[in-house]
Amino acid sequence: MKKIRKILYKAAAALSALVFALPVSAASVDLNAVYPISTNDIQGWPAGPEISSDTGILMEAQTGTVVYDKGADELRYPASITKLMTLLVAVENSSLDDMVTFTETGVRDVTPDSGNIGMQLGETMSMEDCLYAMIIYSANEVSAQIAEYVGGTEENFIAMMNERAAEIGCTNTNFVNASGLPDENQYTTARDMALIFREGLKNDIFRKIIGTPTYYIEPTNLNSETRKLHTHIPLFAEESALYYEGCLGGKSGMTNDAGYTLVTGVRQNGVTYIAVVMRGADMNQVSMDSRLLYDYGFQNFQKTEYRTGNVIIPSGTGTESVTVREEEIDGRNREGYYLGDYRVGIGNVEQAAASPTPTPQAEEAEDANQAPLLGQTENSDTTQEPARDGITDLAKFLFIIMGVMVVILVILLIALVKKNKKAKKKRK
């Protein structure tokens, strides 16, 4: 039976990898398009800043409210911000104490023109060292090795990345590698990357890794030198003129087609914003664009308790302007809080029925050593997703493929069990 289970596992993994690696046409990534700031069309909404990057978003982490949207749902190439998804899947499926030995998969991407820390075949590092090398130094060979170690194969890990992204609510993302190296079938959007980063901030280890500006990798079995890693994100480097107070860290990326991409988070006065900018001209530009977005958010909006949740509304706006709609959100019956026709928060219908008047919310952790309250946990009801109409054709196709996969696996199981019974009869 062990052999049967092994065969079934391999079959399931292969079919799963096929399902979650199905790409949307690369032609959908229009690098010549120019997008407006759509949130400027919201009545009573403060006018957002003009950024130079192709697309951008500013999302409040706890409520999920998007206060700034410039082409946030338009496809762009992610480059190394891909590694945020790799980090999330890795910390959810491994231990920091795991020892990772580099194989041909890892050393394959060690080339002079590719970001790496010079890992050698047979060299061993802890998973913790690997994760810091991947995020702080953006080491591509380490990303590939993490993928193989955690997933068993790179293909399995990439399927895990795409499956986890779909669970988070990403609807316009496809990963084909774990590092962000150029591939026309690897794409995402500013909104999807904000959702991935938001999910990551709920994980203690994820926050620790992205929130460490300097890290030292001690000598290994094949390297006698101590490797020093230091952040190259200006908003996170205190010595930089572009440093932003309260920056939680993040990840940058760059390829020719992706341009410069940057995902960061900033926490001030109990409010956490996530900024994503994509396809900027250089690191200085994406950093300046991100600073503009953070200034815009902190200076023009307020986070206010309302009924069973919180709302993000323009400064000076009273909650009497907020309306409540009971609706299905993410498959659950929820309270949607609206300013006009724009959703600015989500609450719990059951809790509202039990306590119809506004109730005090638990104070957010302010101690720097405590985990901030950044959004939905297993029992919270604060996640906001943009309204989606129906199921996309791609989603329908994936459901069909998954159905076929289940049928094939059932048939395979029946055939193997029968074969096993026949073999036992012959031995008797």
Side-chain angles (χ1 to χ4, degrees):
M1 289 301 293
K2 287 184 178 179
K3 183 179 289 186
I4 293 174
R5 286 196 297 269
K6 188 174 182 181
I7 294 172
L8 287 173
Y9 175 79
K10 287 183 177 180
L15 287 168
S16 178
L18 172 64
V19 169
F20 291 105
L22 288 173
V24 171
S25 172
S28 298
V29 183
D30 185 357
L31 298 181
N32 296 314
V34 177
Y35 306 105
I37 302 169
S38 60
T39 38
N40 284 352
D41 296 332
I42 304 171
Q43 186 174 3
W45 210 254
E50 292 289 345
I51 62 172
S52 300
S53 300
D54 277 12
T55 67
I57 194 171
L58 184 68
M59 176 186 289
E60 198 278 322
Q62 187 196 21
T63 64
T65 301
V66 173
V67 300
Y68 180 95
D69 179 337
K70 177 187 176 183
D73 294 310
E74 303 299 333
L75 300 185
R76 285 295 179 270
Y77 299 116
S80 282
I81 59 175
T82 296
K83 296 181 174 77
L84 291 171
M85 189 76 247
T86 304
L87 173 63
L88 179 59
V89 174
V91 299
E92 290 178 340
N93 294 279
S94 67
S95 168
L96 294 180
D97 296 329
D98 289 353
M99 298 306 296
V100 181
T101 299
F102 277 67
T103 67
E104 293 288 350
T105 297
V107 300
R108 175 194 65 207
D109 290 328
V110 179
T111 59
D113 59 344
S114 178
N116 63 81
I117 59 170
M119 294 302 293
Q120 303 176 57
L121 185 65
E123 189 171 356
T124 299
M125 286 200 312
S126 69
M127 177 59 73
E128 183 174 23
D129 287 346
C130 288
L131 294 175
Y132 278 113
M134 178 179 69
I135 294 300
I136 299 178
Y137 197 84
S138 202
N140 291 320
E141 88 273 34
V142 178
S143 303
Q145 194 61 61
I146 289 172
E148 183 181 73
Y149 178 86
V150 175
T153 66
E154 284 186 280
E155 292 75 16
N156 286 350
F157 186 84
I158 292 161
M160 293 166 68
M161 291 172 68
N162 285 309
E163 183 174 10
R164 189 70 176 96
E167 291 172 356
I168 293 168
C170 300
T171 57
N172 295 295
T173 292
N174 188 69
F175 296 112
V176 297
N177 64 57
S179 62
L181 286 171
D183 191 298
E184 64 178 6
N185 290 319
Q186 178 139 311
Y187 48 79
T188 188
T189 66
R191 187 189 302 274
D192 283 359
M193 286 308 307
L195 291 174
I196 290 168
F197 195 69
R198 181 189 182 207
E199 187 72 11
L201 290 179
K202 301 171 191 175
N203 184 290
D204 292 343
I205 299 175
F206 183 101
R207 285 200 308 275
K208 176 185 175 184
I209 300 293
I210 63 102
T212 300
T214 304
Y215 184 80
Y216 294 88
I217 298 176
E218 297 302 324
T220 68
N221 59 321
L222 295 179
N223 191 314
S224 61
E225 302 294 325
T226 296
R227 298 174 170 107
K228 178 183 177 180
L229 312 174
H230 183 64
T231 183
H232 51 274
I233 299 175
L235 277 72
F236 191 46
E238 292 189 2
E239 71 276 10
S240 170
L242 295 176
Y243 173 74
Y244 204 95
E245 187 68 34
C247 185
L248 303 172
K251 188 73 189 76
S252 63
M254 187 273 169
T255 67
N256 289 336
D257 286 336
Y260 281 77
T261 59
L262 181 62
V263 181
T264 51
V266 168
R267 180 175 174 81
Q268 291 184 6
N269 301 319
V271 179
T272 300
Y273 279 114
I274 298 166
V276 181
V277 290
M278 304 192 72
R279 203 160 183 258
D282 52 44
M283 180 60 75
N284 183 72
Q285 184 193 82
V286 293
S287 297
M288 289 298 297
D289 282 349
S290 298
R291 288 179 59 89
L292 284 173
L293 294 183
Y294 287 125
D295 286 346
Y296 168 71
F298 288 118
Q299 294 171 10
N300 290 281
F301 295 89
Q302 62 190 31
K303 182 178 180 181
T304 304
E305 294 175 357
Y306 184 75
R307 291 175 65 87
T308 63
N310 290 279
V311 292
I312 302 297
I313 52 180
S315 299
T317 302
T319 54
E320 67 274 5
S321 302
V322 177
T323 58
V324 181
R325 304 178 192 175
E326 188 172 322
E327 56 190 339
E328 184 176 307
I329 302 172
D330 303 328
R332 300 175 60 185
N333 195 27
R334 310 285 280 275
E335 281 191 340
Y337 303 141
Y338 285 81
L339 193 63
D341 292 325
Y342 196 71
R343 197 165 72 210
V344 293
I346 297 176
N348 187 302
V349 170
E350 291 78 12
Q351 188 177 341
S355 178
T357 57
T359 56
Q361 304 295 308
E363 292 185 0
E364 294 188 290
E366 295 297 335
D367 190 304
N369 295 319
Q370 290 181 300
L373 304 179
L374 293 173
Q376 180 188 19
T377 60
E378 290 183 1
N379 300 313
S380 69
D381 293 290
T382 56
T383 303
Q384 172 183 347
E385 303 294 345
R388 306 284 181 184
D389 295 324
I391 302 176
T392 65
D393 290 338
L394 178 60
K396 291 177 181 177
F397 181 64
L398 291 179
F399 284 132
I400 293 171
I401 292 295
M402 292 175 70
V404 172
M405 179 179 73
V406 171
V407 172
I408 292 174
L409 288 175
V410 170
I411 293 172
L412 181 60
L413 177 60
I414 293 172
L416 288 173
V417 170
K418 287 182 176 180
K419 183 178 180 181
N420 194 43
K421 286 182 179 180
K422 287 180 180 180
K424 286 183 178 178
K425 288 181 180 179
K426 287 182 179 180
R427 285 197 295 271
K428 289 179 180 180

